[in-house]
Amino acid sequence: MESFNLPLDLSKVQSALNPFLRTLYSNPIFDTLKPSNASDSIAAFLFLLSALGYTTRGRLWDKPDPCYKVWFERPQLVDGASSNKTTVSRNVAHRLDEGNYQVVIFWGSQSGTAERFAETLGRECHARLGINALVADLSDYDADTIAEISQKHLAIFILSTYGEGDPSDNATGLWDWIKRVKDQGTKVDNLRYIALGLGNSNYKYYNRVLDVVVETLDTAGARALMPPQRANDAEGATEEDFQAWKDDLFTLFRGMGYEQKTVAYQPTISVEFGEKVENYKADTMHPVSAHHQKTSLNSAIFPLTIRSSRELFTAGDRNCIHMELDLGNSDLVYKTGDHIAIWPCNPDEEIEQMLETLGLKDRRKDTLAITALDDSSKPKVPSGSTLEAALRHHLEICAPISRKTVFELAQFSPTAEAKSMLSEIGQDRVRFEKFTASRHITLARLLHIASPLEPWSALPLSFLVENLLSLQPRYYSISSSSVISPRRIAITALVVNKNVADEDGSTIHGLTSNYLLSASKLPSNAKVVTPTFQHTAGTSTEGYKVFAHVRKSKFKLPITSSTSLILIAAGTGFAPFRAFIAERAKLHALGKPVGRMLLFFGCRSPSSDYIYREELERLQETLGDKLRIVTAFSREGNDRIYVQDRVAEESETVIEMLDAGANLYICGKASMAREVDGKIEETAAQRKGLSELEVKSWTDGLKKRGKWKADVWG
């Protein structure tokens, strides 16, 4: 390319600047800064010009575009309930007064159950008792304003507990406030409240969130109008426990002067059909992301490309997938030990059955105009979605149905026989339990059983949207190290297919695990047919994409690499330990000091489901005596040995390592973790001569110091 030289006549520049510079330097402040030549004058001018530009940016030039944010808004948020969040006060006491509410129903939900219960309770309070109730997501309000709620109002808490006694993600603000109330001795004398806890007694800290909140509020002077009650998912009784609690609550309300009445169905949202959209692109932006909040714990949702997949089981009729997801150019980051949440979609077969049962197959591409009919309603489906997209991406159509829903469905029955059947099952708890004990009853299957020939054309879509859960993500422990693989996340997923002993020989397919199996393109080892799913494709050279977000975890390696580790896992509970050991091996190869590691791993058989066996053998070669592996096989030979049995055999070593400063980690089913806890505590009591209370104090101390951690599920 030809270049051009443009000579600069410094004398002309100097002449042009002289008037401006004479005025400037006439100020005594600039006496020492007078330029001695043309170059100094130009430099001084350019410096002043730059300073002027910097100080006036955003006011005189480069003003921000007030409509700039519109480029990044989700269309469904513009008209939906979520768009009103910014205008609503975060002071719940003010909100109660402004909206003329008598009751506030707070919910803390991890999987959506507590949220659904709160919405149901709010609707029934209004319809049956005339009580105006505010259904409140705890993350929408500043928790410290709960103390400002007056005596004329009533607060109801529906709180879930998951993991090791942890609050749900949206209840972290409440949890922090409860701690402050307890530590600072804050008083909440005006608060009247009622509380229900949702938990699973398989976990060691069953309903801990409820217990801590209730104890703290009572100590702070709040008055409980009913004893706290607990719903237990371990017995499959969550729905029935909620119904029994609600009956007691309504009895209390009637005693307070409210008159209960029987009313017909009154929707809280309006759902109307709009225009038909033949080429609706539901996969261009994951619809569920409209209901997901980026928080300090959860990242935003991103589409991640599947880079590789492989089968981990070597025999048998089950699948266990190792899948690697490419973070690409996304802002997504993770740390070793974090969780990844996979957002699935519903399978084609379930969607088709629902459309056929409703008699709406020809309207699958019609859009839905959805609006809230009161301030507390939050539609689960964004307005503008097609009916098919709502069933595929937004609603848990594969979930079992509740007895309450069965009873309420009866009023929309297409035949007298269907109405009689549903009324009888819905009114009788024993009959309902017998009806559902040997079969997996989803909404579509129930409708088909009750009326196999006549479609449910009288069933309002608003009832469908209100009574089905929002589609929720499923969480997996990340099995890769962020140190070794910062831009790829590995998942270790067991594909779940539970056989139901009924006359149809039906199977309950794990939704997300089968979704991942389908996306992996690996063959199924199961004897049943894998459901078919719609997937989001990448470019011509890329694989499918899955939508995911990362949730921060406290299940972390110690800062000091020389700290010894005790790792206890069964099955896919080994996932985070694969990352832990690989990271330690990398540090060891670099010459860094690493602590001793004792790994307990349990599975069925070394010949079928000993996952990552070859990797572990290579890691052991690298680490030498730094890694010791103790295995337990529950289906090998005549003896069934479980991982807790091996821990009992090695409990002396475990105690010695803990006393020497080791960190203990447990990952797997909650029942296994509880057994392991018991074995270690039993040995500690014998070895140290401790009482039951002293042993509990010892283990609690380790956990508070972060030396004993668990990542478990039901």
Side-chain angles (χ1 to χ4, degrees), residues 4 12 14 76 101 110 159 184 243 276 289 316 416 432 442 528 543 546 562 573 655 662 671 674 679:
F4 297 90
K12 291 182 179 180
Q14 175 75 40
Q76 62 264 43
Y101 295 103
Q110 195 66 19
L159 305 171
Q184 300 171 7
Q243 292 300 324
K276 185 179 291 293
S289 63
F432 174 78
T442 63
V528 297
V546 296
S562 57
I655 298 297
S671 55
R674 192 176 63 246
K679 300 294 185 184

Side-chain angles (χ1 to χ4, degrees), residues 221-250:
R223 183 162 66 96
L225 301 188
M226 281 172 50
Q229 296 189 33
R230 297 162 180 80
N232 189 1
D233 193 49
E235 301 171 355
T238 300
E239 293 283 347
E240 289 297 339
D241 290 341
F242 168 69
Q243 292 300 324
W245 172 79
K246 181 164 64 69
D247 290 343
D248 292 342
L249 177 61
F250 281 12

Side-chain angles (χ1 to χ4, degrees), residues 606-620:
S607 61
S608 62
D609 57 350
Y610 191 161
I611 60 176
Y612 300 112
R613 183 174 184 174
E614 294 180 356
E615 282 188 31
L616 265 176
E617 290 172 352
R618 290 195 298 269
L619 287 168
Q620 195 163 34

Side-chain angles (χ1 to χ4, degrees), residues 177 181-182 185-190 214-222:
W177 176 68
V181 169
K182 188 174 183 178
T186 306
K187 290 298 181 183
V188 288
D189 298 332
N190 291 328
V214 166
E215 180 185 358
T216 304
L217 291 179
D218 289 348
T219 303

